[in-house]
Amino acid sequence: MSGQPPPPPPQQQQQQQQLSPPPPAALAPVSGVVLPAPPAVSAGSSPAGSPGGGAGGEGLGAAAAALLLHPPPPPPPATAAPPPPPPPPPPPASAAAPASGPPAPPGLAAGPGPAGGAPTPALVAGSSAAAPFPHGDSALNEQEKELQRRLKRLYPAVDEQETPLPRSWSPKDKFSYIGLSQNNLRVHYKGHGKTPKDAASVRATHPIPAACGIYYFEVKIVSKGRDGYMGIGLSAQGWDKHSYGYHGDDGHSFCSSGTGQPYGPTFTTGDVIGCCVNLINNTCFYTKNGHSLGIAFTDLPPNLYPTVGLQTPGEVVDANFGQHPFVFDIEDYMREWRTKIQAQIDRFPIGDREGEWQTMIQKMVSSYLVHHGYCATAEAFARSTDQTVLEELASIKNRQRIQKLVLAGRMGEAIETTQQLYPSLLERNPNLLFTLKVRQFIEMVNGTDSEVRCLGGRSPKSQDSYPVSPRPFSSPSMSPSHGMNIHNLASGKGSTAHFSGFESCSNGVISNKAHQSYCHSNKHQSSNLNVPELNSINMSRSQQVNNFTSNDVDMETDHYSNGVGETSSNGFLNGSSKHDHEMEDCDTEMEVDSSQLRRQLCGGSQAAIERMIHFGRELQAMSEQLRRDCGKNTANKKMLKDAFSLLAYSDPWNSPVGNQLDPIQREPVCSALNSAILETHNLPKQPPLALAMGQATQCLGLMARSGIGSCAFATVEDYLH
Amino acid sequence: MACLLETPIRMSVLSEVTASSRHYVDRLFDPDPQKVLQGVIDMKNAVIGNNKQKANLIVLGAVPRLLYLLQQETSSTELKTECAVVLGSLAMGTENNVKSLLDCHIIPALLQGLLSPDLKFIEACLRCLRTIFTSPVTPEELLYTDATVIPHLMALLSRSRYTQEYICQIFSHCCKGPDHQTILFNHGAVQNIAHLLTSLSYKVRMQALKCFSVLAFENPQVSMTLVNVLVDGELLPQIFVKMLQRDKPIEMQLTSAKCLTYMCRAGAIRTDDNCIVLKTLPCLVRMCSKERLLEERVEGAETLAYLIEPDVELQRIASITDHLIAMLADYFKYPSSVSAITDIKRLDHDLKHAHELRQAAFKLYASLGANDEDIRKKIIETENMMDRIVTGLSESSVKVRLAAVRCLHSLSRSVQQLRTSFQDHAVWKPLMKVLQNAPDEILVVASSMLCNLLLEFSPSKEPILESGAVELLCGLTQSENPALRVNGIWALMNMAFQAEQKIKADILRSLSTEQLFRLLSDSDLNVLMKTLGLLRNLLSTRPTLCILANIADGTTAKDLIMTNDDILQKIKYYMGHSHVKLQLAAMFCISNLIWNEEEGSQERQDKLRDMGIVDILHKLSQSPDSNLCDKAKMALQQYLA
């Protein structure tokens, strides 16, 4: 389907939102004019990332003494080591991202506390402090990066915010006869080892997430010590302790009991033993020096921790949770299971009645197109598949027009149009209206809202970089590069009017050629509108606004076309059609423009700022009214607070709350409005296609939480081409 | 018509010939070429998937007419192509169909067709040829009778993915043995086929891969070439390794593992190369798992047996991989009791593969246990292992019996097992049975196995002797097959070692002096050495010495005795024995060896003097026994002469 609109995605946005620290507490709107304090406040309010003191569970002295036997590369700090140096003052926004490499997903990097995946400073400092992460140890950083890369590649389906992967042994979950070193990867025995009662074990920091599908780690026997009684395996949490091990001295496997079963060969100094947990069929097998030894355990319980047990002095083993390449080709094994699972999905029986399946899919596609207002495509699709479109074409166009306004940042007009076309809609949805108004406020700050723009403001550069990359599948898909047009409008050139209507996002199927000619004629039309007329938008002149917008609609399938006629192949590239001469001209013009001018509040116009402040007051009043009428609403409160926080910074775009100004944030607003309109027509809030996708995604998440490992090899993205 | 058919078939089929079948054939003779074409097309549609119809048409003489039309210059290309398609369809039927087609000389006609410029026609001819050559009734030599065929086929490899697929398939089925390999190799098979391994078509890749497996088998020349071939900047072994990744189809994994195995066995890849140790071997072990089809398990086990046969390290790795030894035990569970009751089709399938599975398992066990004592122990400790081998020894299938004997032989290299498991399971009994009336290939392994069971410390020795082993082994020494002669005499040698007099006497009597002499002049050096060994072991009785004395009467034999210090020492020992008769016999030997009139007597005298024989002779000349005394004096005179 070439006309497939961009799958839209709120997750990323949410993550981005999480990234930014909360706005300064002092800025909470109280009453009256809300002009928060300057940014200086923010430094103090940033989260302090200082690692805790080095108070380990067991004495540092003991650990250090034992370590003398097996000196780790970075010498441990003296017992009376001073607390680690205070961290450098964290810069406001970027402080949240630690030194992990670029591939690190934002979610991971920002992860709070021990759940943050990589042995964070806090985690290590909480231990015996044998090996704090030295600052600027590049080799170590490199290892961390490699670990991160490998884990991401091996277990792409794991959400480490929810279920972190094991990366080292846990200094907290270990017997006192166990010593750890080398970033908690090396384990040595430090007891007497006289009787079997002296056996001791340590487990990894986290249990194995089911979403791994297949999980694997390796342990190298550095020294077999006195008797070589090493055991490698898995253990469960809690009182009802299950544990599973493979022992070096006799090659037996032990399953939650003291008596072993003959399993494999013995192992000793120099051998690398691997342990693979298959979370799809709940089995486990071991490897020795890269050779699979066959199934050791079946019917494994969920949430097992990688574990090693030692029993006699001198036993030392090193773990590899992905820090280094594995000796065994685990990826080959994973490939086999991926193929198996995907074959299962492909062969899943679908409906017995012929054609039913196809009709259902066609309906889903059609409803998706209608939902997002791709009327031309929807019409063409319905025609070729013999379907009826449930909604009237005019209605679709109306929704599309409103959506375009929202996505262009022209919230005032959008609200206006909505009220006009769907008179009672916003009245019945005060919360939605509030949301739209807050967004309008943000757009005013941005300088994009019509009310501000007409006051001569300039638009910020940030808007030019509207992302066009493909996104997940749940928010409306149109993402025109509105900023550009507005920018030009604002620059006050005579030619700006040309572009006033070109912000729409169009449907990919329509051929580009046909459009260009169509556009040309439109350009002439639109150039008839002169700038003052356009700019002098005022509340009472809705008629004119309507004229303007209807003109806009006529041009809807304009040269910001999607994919088909473009060089771009993603199928829904919106904006910057480079083949258009005039546009190119504008591009260069703009660049000069923006390099000279800093982005300014409300486009830099004093009048606009005043208008904005006035609007802010109204909004505050509205919020209070809303609370009185409908009761407290924390979401609304936060929304307003965040929006007002923008004013706390001299450069809101680069502030911790600056991402609100990102045009991508228009999408959820747009989606909410669109859904509300559809609901009034008794049409589904969500297109069934998006619903199905969402359900599949949720289902996979549920599988992960329920310990069903096959979710690892069935990502929804694999099936979206 | 010209086609020859066995009468009974013709009769039975003829009775069922329908009018419609005849109508199809009649239309091939229509004077209007357009109608002929339509007739052929209709025939094509009528025979697809209909074996009865195919047989009918063949009986009614459609084949010669189709071949005539196919070769006729006046025929349109379209007609020719349709004819080839119908013939290909007929070949898809029963083996009898293929025989009928071969009898009508279809192969030269189709090969001729390959010279046409028309690709569609060529493809149809190749498709038909492919079907015929892949039939077991077609002699593969037919591909090589015309020397121009192979080069032409090589040239056609570039034409289309269909020519590629069919030609590779023909090659892989018709390449049997080193002669065929050499022909194909010399015509550039490696270069022409290598790049097909990266074809977009799975079928082409697969057939090309199969080609390489048959080309490389036991062929160092091809294998050495293959390791250095580059395809798209990658070496062939690397491409094979990619093809045995676990997400690839099983057929592809198995075939590429075969290629790497054959290249390794041919010496082109080291046995410690990662692509063997970490890729090929584990892949083959996986092929033995219960999840695979029975055919795949057979092939997997056989290929793995072949791969690890000569290398103890590979045997050790295989023995710990995925519980292979236990996995193989499952090969003996077909047909299972469940399959018999629930599913007749399944039972049939299981029965068909049961023999193959058992022999493959025995072969792999034999390879696994070839060198390592621990592995042998593990194999024997596998559930019911010895019982299974014992059962295997008396199976009707020669293949299974042979493999079972091989397996037993491999395990019999263990001293400990000889003393324990082998004794507990009275392995010798079925073994002795195998040795009666078995084909040579089984006899060779079985007798070599018997050698181990007859070792002095083996508890099986006694019962084996009692069951007539001596006669049997003596019989083997008279075999045409040198391997059997060696094993026979070898077993006798083991048997005679420190044996009681009765056994030694039995051996001598059964073997007869004439046979001993023949063996001493055997062309096979191994036979000779073992015969001398036997003599040494027998050298404790007077008759043997007499034999020796007689042997020492011939020139060759004298040389042999003189070069065998063991025997000389024995003779010397018996000269000083307390038993006069033994002394006397030894004296005879010496006399014969130093007799002056014989060639080379001087050297022999010198050597014996160096050994201290002269001193003994002097001593014996003082003997109270007059006979002995005289002999000694006579011997001394030879020195003086």
Side-chain angles (χ1 to χ4, degrees):
Chain A
M1 255 214 27
S2 55
Q4 175 96 351
Q11 290 106 319
Q12 192 134 4
Q13 302 161 24
Q14 280 165 6
Q15 281 180 1
Q16 283 173 353
Q17 281 171 336
Q18 282 177 0
L19 251 177
S20 41
L27 301 187
V30 227
S31 62
V33 186
V34 199
L35 252 188
V41 192
S42 69
S45 65
S46 292
S50 85
E58 42 171 298
L60 197 60
L67 285 172
L68 287 177
L69 286 169
H70 317 281
T79 317
S94 56
S100 48
L108 240 183
T120 57
L123 202 101
V124 176
S127 78
S128 64
F133 273 71
H135 243 1
D137 185 336
S138 63
L140 206 57
N141 264 339
E142 208 35 60
Q143 194 187 58
E144 280 301 304
K145 275 187 208 163
E146 196 183 338
L147 174 66
Q148 185 60 37
R149 270 197 298 271
R150 190 165 290 115
L151 293 182
K152 204 68 210 161
R153 195 176 67 230
L154 287 173
Y155 318 115
V158 172
D159 175 2
E160 283 212 83
Q161 286 207 303
E162 219 171 292
T163 51
L165 287 158
R167 286 162 192 254
S168 62
W169 300 117
S170 167
K172 289 177 208 146
D173 300 302
K174 71 177 187 64
F175 285 61
S176 55
Y177 286 167
I178 290 288
L180 297 178
S181 60
Q182 308 213 351
N183 307 314
N184 293 329
L185 290 173
R186 171 164 290 191
V187 186
H188 66 268
Y189 184 78
K190 56 183 188 183
H192 331 286
K194 281 175 188 152
T195 71
K197 280 181 183 167
D198 295 330
S201 66
V202 59
R203 67 178 199 197
T205 49
H206 300 284
I208 299 162
C212 291
I214 308 282
Y215 181 79
Y216 185 72
F217 70 100
E218 280 179 353
V219 170
K220 185 184 169 100
I221 314 303
V222 177
S223 165
K224 77 174 192 76
R226 195 184 71 201
D227 298 328
Y229 287 169
M230 300 81 54
I232 288 156
L234 307 159
S235 63
Q237 201 170 14
W239 292 107
D240 177 27
K241 255 197 178 166
H242 291 281
S243 69
Y244 304 86
Y246 164 36
H247 287 209
D249 54 317
D250 56 7
H252 287 189
S253 63
F254 288 74
C255 172
S256 300
S257 72
T259 50
Q261 292 274 330
Y263 167 68
T266 59
F267 56 87
T268 185
T269 307
D271 286 327
V272 175
I273 303 301
C275 176
C276 177
V277 182
N278 182 328
L279 297 127
I280 299 156
N281 61 14
N282 299 314
T283 60
C284 158
F285 69 84
Y286 288 93
T287 67
K288 180 182 173 183
N289 301 326
H291 298 285
S292 163
L293 304 179
I295 298 288
F297 308 111
T298 57
D299 304 302
L300 291 175
N303 295 317
L304 292 170
Y305 291 77
T307 306
V308 290
L310 303 177
Q311 200 180 311
T312 67
E315 292 169 357
V316 185
V317 301
D318 275 353
N320 176 10
F321 294 106
Q323 281 84 359
H324 308 284
F326 292 120
V327 179
F328 176 72
D329 191 349
I330 187 64
E331 284 176 71
D332 201 25
Y333 181 71
M334 291 170 109
R335 265 195 290 270
E336 181 181 338
W337 277 91
R338 184 181 304 277
T339 314
K340 272 187 199 172
I341 301 292
Q342 288 178 353
Q344 243 176 33
I345 296 171
D346 293 346
R347 289 192 211 117
F348 189 80
I350 39 164
D352 40 355
R353 263 178 296 173
E354 211 176 312
E356 203 174 66
W357 182 250
Q358 194 185 11
T359 314
M360 199 210 305
I361 287 177
Q362 285 170 348
K363 273 186 186 155
M364 285 176 94
V365 173
S366 168
S367 58
Y368 180 83
L369 295 169
V370 169
H371 182 96
H372 289 303
Y374 298 119
C375 36
T377 314
E379 256 190 310
F381 186 80
R383 224 181 299 121
S384 64
T385 55
D386 272 339
Q387 289 187 68
T388 45
V389 177
L390 283 173
E391 198 182 359
E392 276 176 43
L393 196 63
S395 164
I396 302 174
K397 287 191 174 177
N398 282 340
R399 282 193 291 112
Q400 199 181 32
R401 182 167 46 167
I402 294 167
Q403 291 187 69
K404 269 181 291 181
L405 288 168
V406 174
L407 292 173
R410 289 153 58 176
M411 289 306 301
E413 290 166 78
I415 295 168
E416 197 81 21
T417 313
T418 307
Q419 281 165 340
Q420 209 171 42
L421 292 170
Y422 308 98
S424 58
L425 177 76
L426 294 178
E427 276 171 42
R428 276 184 283 111
N429 284 300
N431 281 324
L432 178 62
L433 179 62
F434 183 71
T435 306
L436 298 176
K437 294 258 185 191
V438 172
R439 186 69 216 170
Q440 187 177 3
F441 175 81
I442 294 167
E443 299 296 354
M444 282 177 162
V445 174
N446 205 16
T448 34
D449 191 74
S450 335
E451 287 193 42
V452 175
R453 202 176 45 192
C454 67
L455 299 171
R458 286 178 181 275
S459 72
K461 178 152 196 245
S462 71
Q463 296 182 0
D464 296 335
S465 54
Y466 193 89
V468 268
S469 56
R471 274 157 283 125
F473 203 96
S474 54
S475 78
S477 47
M478 46 221 74
S479 322
S481 64
H482 356 258
M484 182 191 303
N485 315 307
I486 292 148
H487 191 100
N488 280 290
L489 260 182
S491 68
K493 302 258 176 179
S495 64
T496 43
H498 280 232
F499 304 97
S500 57
F502 293 4
E503 325 161 359
S504 67
C505 44
S506 73
N507 307 323
V509 189
I510 299 144
S511 104
N512 210 17
K513 267 203 179 145
H515 274 297
Q516 267 178 323
S517 54
Y518 182 44
C519 289
H520 275 296
S521 58
N522 271 316
K523 272 179 208 162
H524 293 298
Q525 267 181 1
S526 55
S527 61
N528 293 337
L529 296 165
N530 58 37
V531 181
E533 195 178 354
L534 245 186
N535 286 349
S536 62
I537 290 167
N538 106 27
M539 291 310 182
S540 63
R541 291 178 64 194
S542 58
Q543 189 58 44
Q544 190 176 355
V545 172
N546 269 341
N547 279 348
F548 169 72
T549 44
S550 64
N551 189 3
D552 194 353
V553 172
D554 286 342
M555 291 157 53
E556 67 172 352
T557 45
D558 61 5
H559 60 205
Y560 292 115
S561 78
N562 299 321
V564 184
E566 298 270 348
T567 45
S568 157
S569 59
N570 66 3
F572 53 88
L573 175 72
N574 297 301
S576 71
S577 41
K578 295 284 188 201
H579 50 83
D580 188 293
H581 268 294
E582 284 175 83
M583 291 303 289
E584 272 179 34
D585 288 347
C586 293
D587 273 348
T588 39
E589 192 183 330
M590 254 163 24
E591 272 171 34
V592 174
D593 223 22
S594 49
S595 62
Q596 286 169 346
L597 293 163
R598 238 183 113 235
R599 282 176 302 203
Q600 288 178 316
L601 204 61
C602 305
S605 144
Q606 194 55 43
I609 291 174
E610 275 164 30
R611 169 78 194 112
M612 180 264 292
I613 290 172
H614 179 72
F615 188 83
R617 288 201 188 104
E618 285 175 3
L619 207 50
Q620 178 70 27
M622 184 182 178
S623 161
E624 282 157 21
Q625 181 65 41
L626 206 55
R627 197 171 58 207
R628 277 194 293 278
D629 295 349
C630 312
K632 256 191 181 169
N633 185 324
T634 45
N636 281 353
K637 192 177 166 188
K638 180 175 186 314
M639 192 159 48
L640 191 65
K641 196 169 96 178
D642 287 350
F644 287 165
S645 302
L646 284 169
L647 303 185
Y649 302 90
S650 58
D651 181 0
W653 290 271
N654 282 328
S655 74
V657 290
N659 75 313
Q660 292 180 92
L661 295 164
D662 189 332
I664 206 165
Q665 301 298 342
R666 293 166 187 158
E667 290 189 354
V669 178
C670 178
S671 165
L673 180 54
N674 189 35
S675 297
I677 297 172
L678 283 166
E679 263 188 316
T680 64
H681 290 281
N682 283 326
L683 288 166
K685 262 170 79 171
Q686 283 272 314
L689 185 59
L691 213 62
M693 289 303 166
Q695 194 179 21
T697 310
Q698 281 300 313
C699 188
L700 287 170
L702 195 65
M703 284 169 81
R705 282 189 287 280
S706 319
I708 302 171
S710 40
C711 65
F713 302 123
T715 33
V716 174
E717 281 73 24
D718 289 348
Y719 292 88
L720 299 176
H721 298 298
Chain B
M1 281 284 144
C3 255
L4 302 169
L5 268 179
E6 292 151 51
T7 329
I9 299 173
R10 172 178 270 175
M11 295 304 287
S12 69
V13 175
L14 269 178
S15 64
E16 289 170 34
V17 168
T18 60
S20 74
S21 300
R22 182 169 297 283
H23 179 62
Y24 284 120
V25 180
D26 290 345
R27 288 169 69 190
L28 300 182
F29 293 88
D30 200 291
D32 180 355
Q34 214 41 51
K35 282 187 178 162
V36 174
L37 176 62
Q38 195 51 50
V40 177
I41 292 172
D42 290 347
M43 188 186 273
K44 174 178 76 177
N45 294 333
V47 297
I48 287 176
N50 186 340
N51 272 352
K52 198 182 240 177
Q53 185 71 278
K54 287 176 190 176
N56 284 350
L57 291 174
I58 290 171
V59 171
L60 291 168
V63 177
R65 183 60 185 172
L66 287 167
L67 283 171
Y68 170 82
L69 293 170
L70 183 134
Q71 290 169 290
Q72 195 61 24
E73 277 182 33
T74 52
S75 298
S76 68
T77 315
E78 195 185 359
L79 177 60
K80 286 180 181 178
T81 309
E82 293 296 340
C83 286
V85 171
V86 175
L87 288 166
S89 196
L90 295 177
M92 287 282 202
T94 63
E95 288 185 1
N96 275 328
N97 287 6
V98 178
K99 278 182 193 159
S100 305
L101 292 170
L102 289 171
D103 289 341
C104 296
H105 305 288
I106 188 173
I107 290 183
L110 290 170
L111 290 174
Q112 192 64 28
L114 298 181
L115 299 171
S116 154
D118 186 85
L119 182 59
K120 282 274 165 283
F121 179 48
I122 291 175
E123 285 174 352
C125 288
L126 279 173
R127 189 167 174 278
C128 186
L129 279 168
R130 183 273 314 262
T131 310
I132 290 169
F133 274 119
T134 52
S135 164
V137 300
T138 312
E140 48 273 354
E141 280 304 330
L142 290 174
L143 185 67
Y144 304 96
T145 37
D146 179 350
T148 62
V149 169
I150 300 293
H152 186 60
L153 288 175
M154 292 289 173
L156 288 177
L157 272 175
S158 59
R159 295 299 294 277
S160 76
R161 48 176 283 199
Y162 297 106
T163 66
Q164 290 167 350
E165 179 193 335
Y166 302 146
I167 292 171
C168 285
Q169 204 171 346
I170 291 170
F171 285 166
S172 57
H173 273 270
C174 294
C175 182
K176 301 262 161 71
D179 293 347
H180 297 164
Q181 287 171 337
T182 307
I183 293 173
L184 292 174
F185 180 75
N186 288 342
H187 283 102
V190 172
Q191 284 70 29
N192 282 314
I193 298 172
H195 68 96
L196 302 183
L197 288 172
T198 55
S199 163
L200 291 178
S201 154
Y202 171 77
K203 284 180 178 173
V204 172
R205 287 202 303 273
M206 202 51 232
Q207 295 305 332
L209 192 60
K210 282 188 177 165
C211 267
F212 283 122
S213 81
V214 296
L215 282 170
F217 183 62
E218 290 184 339
N219 192 321
Q221 186 191 24
V222 173
S223 297
M224 289 296 192
T225 309
L226 289 183
V227 279
N228 294 316
V229 170
L230 274 172
V231 179
D232 290 353
E234 248 182 319
L235 284 169
L236 222 45
Q238 289 316 305
I239 291 177
F240 291 149
V241 165
K242 275 191 186 165
M243 286 176 145
L244 49 78
Q245 279 180 355
R246 297 170 84 145
D247 54 346
K248 296 286 184 297
I250 297 301
E251 183 192 28
M252 182 172 269
Q253 292 186 37
L254 187 51
T255 315
S256 46
K258 273 184 174 180
C259 286
L260 289 162
T261 296
Y262 297 161
M263 288 161 76
C264 177
R265 283 300 306 267
I269 302 177
R270 290 167 56 104
T271 52
D272 61 356
D273 192 301
N274 270 352
C275 78
I276 296 296
V277 180
L278 291 176
K279 299 288 174 190
T280 309
L281 187 150
C283 173
L284 288 171
V285 174
R286 285 200 300 278
M287 295 301 141
C288 300
S289 92
K290 220 172 175 172
E291 288 166 46
R292 302 274 70 86
L293 300 176
L294 300 185
E295 297 91 322
E296 292 161 353
R297 294 169 76 182
V298 170
E299 265 191 80
E302 286 183 332
T303 312
L304 184 58
Y306 183 59
L307 174 69
I308 66 175
E309 196 179 14
D311 188 286
V312 64
E313 199 43 49
L314 291 182
Q315 289 158 13
R316 289 197 184 115
I317 293 169
S319 77
I320 62 160
T321 300
D322 288 339
H323 297 131
L324 176 63
I325 291 174
M327 203 194 280
L328 284 178
D330 189 72
Y331 277 47
F332 295 94
K333 295 177 183 165
Y334 293 89
S336 69
S337 48
V338 187
S339 62
I341 304 160
T342 53
D343 188 347
I344 294 292
K345 240 181 167 175
R346 163 96 188 274
L347 174 66
D348 196 44
H349 180 253
D350 285 2
L351 274 172
K352 226 173 86 189
H353 290 92
H355 295 299
E356 288 291 303
L357 281 164
R358 284 200 289 274
Q359 62 88 24
F362 280 138
K363 267 186 201 165
L364 185 45
Y365 276 133
S367 278
L368 281 166
N371 302 93
D372 188 295
E373 184 68 30
D374 287 344
I375 300 177
R376 285 183 199 128
K377 190 160 173 282
K378 257 166 87 179
I379 293 174
I380 287 169
E381 282 168 1
T382 310
E383 49 165 322
N384 304 328
M385 192 60 216
M386 287 312 288
D387 290 339
R388 282 186 179 133
I389 297 178
V390 169
T391 315
L393 289 175
S394 45
E395 275 208 37
S396 57
S397 156
V398 175
K399 235 177 155 182
V400 178
R401 258 189 293 159
L402 179 60
V405 176
R406 279 223 176 106
C407 181
L408 198 59
H409 179 240
S410 170
L411 298 175
S412 73
R413 290 183 193 154
S414 155
V415 174
Q416 196 202 341
Q417 299 312 329
L418 280 179
R419 286 193 171 146
T420 55
S421 319
F422 278 53
Q423 187 56 19
D424 298 346
H425 290 85
V427 167
W428 60 272
K429 274 187 196 162
L431 186 72
M432 289 304 288
K433 241 168 118 189
V434 165
L435 281 160
Q436 327 280 344
N437 308 319
D440 269 14
E441 46 177 350
I442 290 186
L443 275 183
V444 170
V445 191
S447 54
S448 137
M449 159 92 202
L450 200 57
C451 295
N452 292 345
L453 290 183
L454 284 171
L455 285 166
E456 166 270 333
F457 48 79
S458 160
S460 309
K461 191 171 171 179
E462 285 304 311
I464 293 176
L465 285 171
E466 280 161 24
S467 63
V470 176
E471 310 264 308
L472 195 137
L473 293 170
C474 291
L476 288 183
T477 64
Q478 299 181 26
S479 163
E480 293 282 299
N481 187 334
L484 283 180
R485 291 203 300 275
V486 173
N487 286 349
I489 197 75
W490 191 337
L492 287 171
M493 181 186 88
N494 285 353
M495 197 188 269
F497 181 73
Q498 291 185 4
E500 53 186 277
Q501 291 304 327
K502 186 187 167 296
I503 296 170
K504 292 184 180 178
D506 276 359
I507 294 174
L508 271 173
R509 196 179 44 247
S510 277
L511 198 60
S512 82
T513 21
E514 293 78 22
Q515 177 60 11
L516 250 180
F517 290 149
R518 264 198 296 276
L519 290 169
L520 280 169
S521 48
D522 200 288
S523 56
D524 190 302
L525 190 68
N526 247 328
V527 175
L528 211 68
M529 298 310 294
K530 294 295 180 275
T531 310
L532 287 173
L534 170 66
L535 284 173
R536 189 190 58 212
N537 289 346
L538 289 174
L539 264 184
S540 54
T541 53
R542 192 158 167 273
T544 327
L545 284 172
C546 292
I547 291 166
L548 263 185
N550 283 321
I551 293 166
D553 205 18
T555 318
T556 340
K558 276 182 189 138
D559 289 345
L560 280 167
I561 294 174
M562 287 308 295
T563 49
N564 192 322
D565 283 341
D566 249 351
I567 290 182
L568 290 176
Q569 288 298 338
K570 281 267 178 187
I571 295 173
K572 185 183 164 188
Y573 167 73
Y574 286 121
M575 284 173 82
H577 201 274
S578 58
H579 202 294
V580 179
K581 281 188 175 173
L582 276 177
Q583 287 180 302
L584 206 56
M587 265 315 298
F588 274 115
C589 284
I590 296 297
S591 302
N592 280 342
L593 289 171
I594 60 176
W595 204 252
N596 262 334
E597 284 146 46
E598 302 285 337
E599 191 189 326
S601 60
Q602 193 56 50
E603 289 83 19
R604 288 196 290 274
Q605 286 182 3
D606 292 348
K607 179 157 188 189
L608 289 172
R609 183 189 288 121
D610 293 346
M611 283 179 67
I613 298 290
V614 177
D615 298 343
I616 298 172
L617 286 175
H618 278 296
K619 225 182 274 170
L620 287 178
S621 62
Q622 312 296 318
S623 167
D625 187 293
S626 60
N627 209 344
L628 198 60
C629 176
D630 289 351
K631 288 279 172 198
K633 282 177 181 164
M634 249 161 73
L636 282 168
Q637 270 170 14
Q638 296 298 320
Y639 270 99
L640 299 169

